[in-house]
Amino acid sequence: MAKNLLIVESPNKIKKIQSFLNANEWKVIASVGHIRDLATWGTRLRLGLDLETMEPEYIDLKDKKEIIAKIIEEANRVDNIYLATDPDREGEAIAFHISNIIENEKAKIFRITFNEITKESVEKAISNPGELNKDLISSQEARRILDRMIGFRLSFLTNKKISARSAGRVKSSVLKMIIDRENEIEKFVPDYWWTIQGKLKKDETLINIDSEKHSQIKYKSKEEAKLVHDNLTGTFNFVERKETKRKITPPQPLEMATYLMAMYNSHSTPNASATFAAQSLYEKGLITYPRTDSKRISSKEFIDSITEYIFGNYGKENFQGVPVVKSKKNSQDAHEAIRPVDINKTPSSLLKELKINERRAYQIIWSTTMKSFMVNGENKILNDIYKDGETLFAYKHSYPIVIGFRIVDGLKEIKQLDPEDLIKIDLKNINVEDHETKPPGRYNPSSLVKLMKEVGIGRPSTYSGVTSGLIGFGYLEKKNGSLTPTSMAKEVNDLLQGSFSDIVNEKYTADMETTLDEISLGQKNSRDYLKEFWNIFEPRVEKADEEIPKKPPIYIGRKCPECKEGDLVQKRGRFGEFIACDKFPECKHSEPLIPKPKPKFVDESCPECGSKLVIREAARSKNKFIACSAFPKCNYIKPEEKTLEVLLTLGEITKEQKEIRLEKDKKRKEKEKRDNLNKKDD
């Protein structure tokens, strides 16, 4: 029987960690995340705490009963218990709750942490056990209570007054910033100007420039630009070359925010999927703990290893040394940046072991870490000046003169181009181009994380949850890669800003995060802070409840077809807007706000079950396709190529749409073929 019990959070870690330890002496089990949370009943306002003392009341999570029983059972069999939950506030709180359910009073309980899942790290942690960090526990507890206070009480208002599902401490502040940007876009008034440009080749352009400043000329009217354009001959004589140099700095090591941004910018990977991929790589022992906001790399063993790798593979001249990073004020800097555990495990060597998102994540983490230890690159920028009559044009181009860290991406030296003494361009390729200033862009998952990081809202463990939560509540929609607030989001924001603008904003929320950091360092008492906040916040909620009128129901002008007495009204529920009887709950009649369109049948039968085929529309892409009308009993879908022929004949799509979809289908099949080959290799 094992004498030692080691408890981790994720069951995915068990097999790997158990392989490092003697099975006769050690047993590894998992809590599968939190096992307890604040109660939602039995206390005033269902907040799960005594509002006089701020003493929380915790209850076991219903879906963790079997896990809790197993932890207690296994703990009763051993002499030593090692709590090895994740090395952050949440992990510390989970370890604390596990320690409180253990019934074996004779067993010794130790707290251990490791930043990477390797034999050396686990053994080192076991050899140097510590105790639970009370300050970290207090900080996590304070954050959870604040989330409960603000979330429950503001949600009470939004639900009661405008039938909106939820509000929250961080999400509502982020929503405010998104709507602030939307308001900027709506109020934006563009400026217009015109330029003259001559096309040399596909990506090479001669730009009309000022004779003194050598900057692009922006004409105030099209007529003014056209007057200059009409006097051009199309013959350009070389005048001079101006040379400058630009240093290209390598990226800094990754923390969670920059990792999420890199995954989205490179592969359009949603934050939640990118977070999952990083966690999976950590559990497989390939990268360090990912939920970090530090860019520091301090492991001597790793530094020695990457130094040797760069010397051997890229040359000593490309080695810069340990990257110098500055921790921001709102950074916890608790542990190292996200980096590979073993730099010798290259992305190409792991192709067979990893899923597609894991490969992408590891490639970004490995290459970014590698580059961060390498020297700057340098480009020479050439500005070749040409003249057509009295009008000057510039051709700006550049090439690398020092490859530096870019050698990792396979960049090679490019020969410097000599300027041509004479260039001739057909006048039809010299155009007057019109321009206008663009409004600020809407946020996407990447730029939203960047914004949250910059203003100090949220933490590495919450970035992905904020975006998915706002989409899940129906407050944001994804349109062409951007996050667009819905009408319901604007109503929620108007209500909150009308009564809580000094609380629901980015600065106040960031200050809260700073205070939570101070609690984690033992610099502030959590209970005192919670009392102070509650005594200010709750009277404001009660006042808002009295003053904010309830949104009147929207009657649609029809009687209820079920009870014949009530009137039908437009309502908002968990899954969006719908129509219901105003006699609810006596009458429970409801119907969709927008009736489902009648199916369009195709004059063909299903080859699998004989039912009629019908034209349907994909929920996300809105692409039409042909499928069996007996779905879900029959899952037949007509092949894409044949579907497009039928849809074109029926006038449901255009020729252009058909060609676009055929091209996409071709690429999809090629990708499936590559993936299948990889699976065969596995």
Side-chain angles (χ1 to χ4, degrees), residues 63-220:
D63 61 345
K64 295 295 179 69
K65 285 184 178 179
E66 291 183 9
I67 292 171
I68 290 171
K70 183 176 181 180
I71 291 172
I72 294 171
E73 180 185 353
E74 295 291 347
N76 284 334
R77 296 175 175 173
V78 298
D79 300 324
N80 303 301
I81 300 166
Y82 292 81
L83 305 176
T85 48
D86 289 348
D88 56 15
R89 290 182 202 169
E90 294 298 318
E92 206 70 23
I94 293 169
F96 169 70
H97 291 304
I98 292 172
S99 70
N100 283 341
I101 66 166
I102 290 171
E103 298 172 351
N104 185 352
E105 295 180 358
K106 295 180 180 179
K108 294 179 181 179
I109 300 176
F110 304 101
R111 171 69 168 130
I112 63 170
T113 60
F114 34 82
N115 197 37
E116 55 190 55
I117 302 177
T118 61
K119 183 177 175 63
E120 295 75 19
S121 294
V122 172
E123 289 178 346
K124 185 177 179 181
I126 291 171
S127 300
N128 299 277
E131 297 178 348
L132 288 167
N133 187 316
K134 293 179 181 178
D135 294 328
L136 281 181
I137 296 165
S138 293
S139 179
Q140 189 278 340
E141 185 174 82
R143 183 201 63 78
R144 185 70 190 96
I145 291 172
L146 284 170
D147 285 348
R148 176 65 65 85
M149 285 176 174
I150 297 173
F152 271 35
R153 298 304 285 151
L154 292 186
S155 297
F156 156 74
L157 286 175
T158 57
N159 193 273
K160 180 178 179 180
K161 304 299 182 181
I162 58 174
S163 300
R165 279 181 62 193
S166 181
R169 182 177 68 90
V170 176
K171 289 186 179 74
S172 295
S173 294
V174 172
L175 185 64
K176 174 206 171 273
M177 293 191 292
I178 292 171
I179 291 175
D180 285 348
R181 173 60 62 88
E182 196 69 18
N183 291 336
E184 285 182 57
I185 294 169
E186 290 174 2
K187 294 174 183 176
F188 181 79
V189 179
D191 287 329
Y192 298 91
W193 74 92
W194 287 260
T195 61
I196 303 172
Q197 297 173 187
K199 211 70 174 165
L200 279 171
K201 297 176 186 175
K202 184 179 179 182
D203 297 317
E204 298 176 3
T205 305
L206 284 173
I207 297 172
N208 180 207
I209 61 169
D210 181 90
S211 59
E212 293 181 5
K213 297 179 181 177
H214 282 197
S215 58
Q216 186 175 29
I217 297 177
K218 297 181 178 180
Y219 296 96
K220 294 180 180 178

Side-chain angles (χ1 to χ4, degrees), residues 248-265:
I248 315 293
T249 57
Q252 291 208 315
L254 293 167
E255 35 83 45
M256 180 54 86
T258 51
Y259 160 74
L260 293 176
M261 286 186 263
M263 282 289 280
Y264 185 82
N265 294 336

Side-chain angles (χ1 to χ4, degrees), residues 360-425:
R360 290 169 172 172
Y362 191 75
Q363 173 67 49
I364 286 171
I365 294 164
W366 187 91
S367 63
T368 302
T369 306
M370 183 68 68
K371 292 172 186 177
S372 72
F373 277 78
M374 299 178 77
V375 297
N376 297 327
E378 191 173 345
N379 284 2
K380 181 180 282 189
I381 300 168
L382 305 175
N383 214 16
D384 293 336
I385 311 300
Y386 294 85
K387 201 171 189 180
D388 182 335
E390 295 302 314
T391 307
L392 289 180
F393 284 78
Y395 168 45
K396 194 173 185 178
H397 52 116
S398 68
Y399 68 97
I401 52 177
V402 177
I403 302 297
F405 71 92
R406 296 174 292 179
I407 194 174
V408 175
D409 296 326
L411 184 68
K412 297 178 181 178
E413 290 186 19
I414 299 172
K415 187 179 179 182
Q416 178 176 329
L417 297 173
D418 292 325
E420 296 181 45
D421 292 331
L422 188 68
I423 294 173
K424 287 192 176 183
I425 301 177

Side-chain angles (χ1 to χ4, degrees), residues 205 561 567 590 633:
T205 305
D567 293 304
S590 67
K633 290 182 180 179

Side-chain angles (χ1 to χ4, degrees), residues 647-674:
L647 292 177
L648 183 63
T649 303
L650 295 174
E652 294 288 335
I653 59 171
T654 65
K655 285 184 179 179
E656 185 181 10
Q657 288 172 325
K658 177 186 173 183
E659 293 304 317
I660 291 171
R661 283 181 58 177
L662 280 173
E663 183 62 27
K664 286 184 178 178
D665 189 52
K666 181 182 175 183
K667 289 179 179 177
R668 179 185 60 79
K669 288 177 179 176
E670 288 173 352
K671 181 180 179 300
E672 285 180 357
K673 189 176 179 180
R674 287 195 303 271

